Amino acid sequence: MPEIPKRWKGTCKPGTQFNTSMCNRKLIRANYFNKGILAIDPTVSISMNSARDTGGRGTHCASIAAGNYAKGVSHFGYAAGTSRGVARRARLAVYKFNFNEGSFTLDLITTMDQAVADGVDTISISQGIGFIPLYEDVISIASFRAMMKGVLVRASAGNRGNIVGTLVNGSPWILRWSVFPARAFVRDSPVIYNKTLAACDSDELLSQVPDPEDTIIIYDNNGDFSDQMGIVTRARLKVTIFISEDPEVFMYTSFPNPGVVINKKEGKQANNHVKSSVYPTATITFQETYVNGRPSPVLAETSARGPSRSYLGISKPDIMAPGVLILAAVPPNLFSESIQNIGIIL
């Protein structure tokens, strides 16, 4: 990339697992703001006291917005090919105000003000405060100041579902967006099924399974599917089979573990296989990646609908763009990264 423009005022701030040498002509600013956290508790120890991302959203959104060409990428074999962001030649300035220890409006406002002072052309913020007057909405206030300086602010319209009046960031000076919605496999892995483990209600119990990184456990979906997926993830298990005939299971778009959902008839066959075999194993293969599906685009079920309760003049999001099941970058500490390093197939 060419030299950084001389008008740019931002610099990189060192911190936990991050030093200034990590900035370059692409990543031209990395800063973090935590005075709000420290004001509440001066003794708090911030686990990642730097601009580094630990949750994944910042990395994901940054690569979607401005990621350069990355060859040979896939998600466990799905959507294999070359990935790129929308504006691949754009530079990135990263500002962090959300920490595992909390986030405060003081830090949010300071972050946006500093970005404007540094000389950014546009701000993208994937956060919203809903259903309050504009004069109490700190994102709205900070965005207004940015707008007065000629900086466009783009913000999420929210993901509270298809209910009227759930749109957030409903300020006239904010650009809002909504979202619309190969091969991976596990080969000859050991399979376990017993009633105690199948309940999937204790990550402590599941974590005691021998060789969890290569063992398939069959679960009965008797509770909240999201909770059960969370238990499996915390137990560090790599592969899952859920027995369920609840159609709402397929409403979920986030599956942190490779796995499949089978019906009760198929579940009985799987359990019989486990009981009748001395060393039961299973191989799971997935469908191929399908592209150019129709109809497309379709508004995601989770996308918020207008009008804005903060300002009724905003009837709906300004733009709609892909935002579900997007192949983009993730930080290396996420659980999904550890899965692809062990050579399993699902």
Side-chain angles (χ1 to χ4, degrees):
M1 296 191 72
E3 292 283 347
I4 299 171
K6 292 183 179 180
R7 65 179 176 84
W8 178 248
K9 301 181 181 66
T11 58
C12 279
K13 182 179 179 180
T16 308
Q17 298 181 22
F18 192 91
N19 58 63
T20 57
S21 66
M22 294 177 176
C23 286
N24 48 46
R25 293 184 181 183
K26 180 69 173 180
L27 178 62
I28 62 174
R29 172 67 144 151
N31 204 346
Y32 55 99
F33 302 85
N34 55 22
K35 289 186 178 180
I37 297 175
L38 297 175
I40 296 297
D41 182 3
T43 65
V44 67
S45 177
I46 300 176
S47 57
M48 188 58 71
N49 197 26
S50 71
R52 272 201 176 275
D53 178 21
T54 57
R57 175 177 290 189
T59 303
H60 198 69
C61 292
S63 66
I64 292 172
N68 210 332
Y69 286 112
K71 297 181 179 180
V73 300
S74 73
H75 183 67
F76 307 107
Y78 282 99
T82 298
S83 175
R84 55 156 287 184
V86 175
R88 66 179 183 85
R89 295 187 63 81
R91 304 180 197 271
L92 276 172
V94 175
Y95 301 83
K96 174 181 172 182
F97 66 90
N98 260 328
F99 295 81
N100 293 337
E101 292 73 21
S103 61
F104 293 87
T105 55
L106 164 65
D107 296 328
L108 189 158
I109 293 175
T110 305
T111 297
M112 295 183 68
D113 285 350
Q114 185 62 58
V116 174
D118 287 343
V120 300
D121 297 302
T122 181
I123 295 173
S124 176
I125 179 169
S126 186
Q127 182 154 330
I129 303 170
F131 320 145
I132 60 175
L134 297 186
Y135 57 82
E136 295 180 5
D137 186 339
V138 292
I139 295 179
S140 177
I141 295 169
S143 298
F144 184 84
R145 287 206 291 262
M147 181 266 296
M148 294 298 291
K149 296 289 186 178
V151 177
L152 172 67
V153 177
R154 298 168 295 165
S156 167
N159 55 5
R160 302 195 182 198
N162 59 349
I163 301 173
V164 172
T166 52
L167 184 146
V168 298
N169 289 319
S171 304
W173 46 86
I174 296 178
L175 182 70
R176 293 150 293 276
W177 72 81
S178 284
V179 298
F180 59 83
R183 301 172 305 279
F185 54 90
V186 172
R187 179 171 293 141
D188 297 328
S189 292
V191 185
I192 294 176
Y193 177 84
N194 66 53
K195 285 292 184 182
T196 304
L197 294 177
C200 194
D201 55 5
S202 169
D203 50 281
E204 182 179 357
L205 184 62
L206 289 175
S207 64
Q208 298 174 15
V209 172
D211 195 15
E213 293 192 350
D214 195 36
T215 300
I216 302 174
I217 300 181
I218 302 175
Y219 307 99
D220 295 317
N221 178 223
N222 296 323
D224 184 273
F225 185 70
S226 179
D227 289 346
Q228 289 184 302
M229 288 296 293
I231 290 171
V232 170
T233 301
R234 289 193 297 273
R236 310 294 292 179
L237 293 164
K238 295 296 195 291
V239 189
T240 61
I241 296 178
F242 277 95
I243 302 173
S244 178
E245 294 186 338
D246 181 1
E248 291 191 2
V249 165
F250 297 101
M251 293 177 61
Y252 292 88
T253 59
S254 177
F255 292 85
N257 303 76
V260 294
V261 178
I262 59 178
N263 60 35
K264 290 183 179 180
K265 181 179 179 180
E266 294 165 333
K268 185 176 181 180
Q269 294 173 344
N271 292 338
N272 288 338
H273 166 67
V274 172
K275 294 175 182 177
S276 61
S277 302
V278 179
Y279 299 106
T281 62
T283 295
I284 305 174
T285 58
F286 285 113
Q287 302 288 332
E288 295 182 356
T289 300
Y290 292 92
V291 297
N292 299 323
R294 294 291 185 271
S296 180
V298 176
L299 189 67
E301 180 74 15
T302 56
S303 286
R305 272 58 166 177
S308 166
R309 298 188 197 179
S310 300
Y311 175 62
L312 294 177
I314 302 299
S315 61
K316 60 183 179 180
D318 297 297
I319 59 174
M320 183 173 71
V324 178
L325 302 179
I326 298 299
L327 181 65
V330 294
N333 64 296
L334 292 195
F335 186 60
S336 59
E337 279 295 288
S338 66
I339 296 172
Q340 63 184 356
N341 293 331
I342 64 171
I344 63 175
I345 307 174
L346 245 183

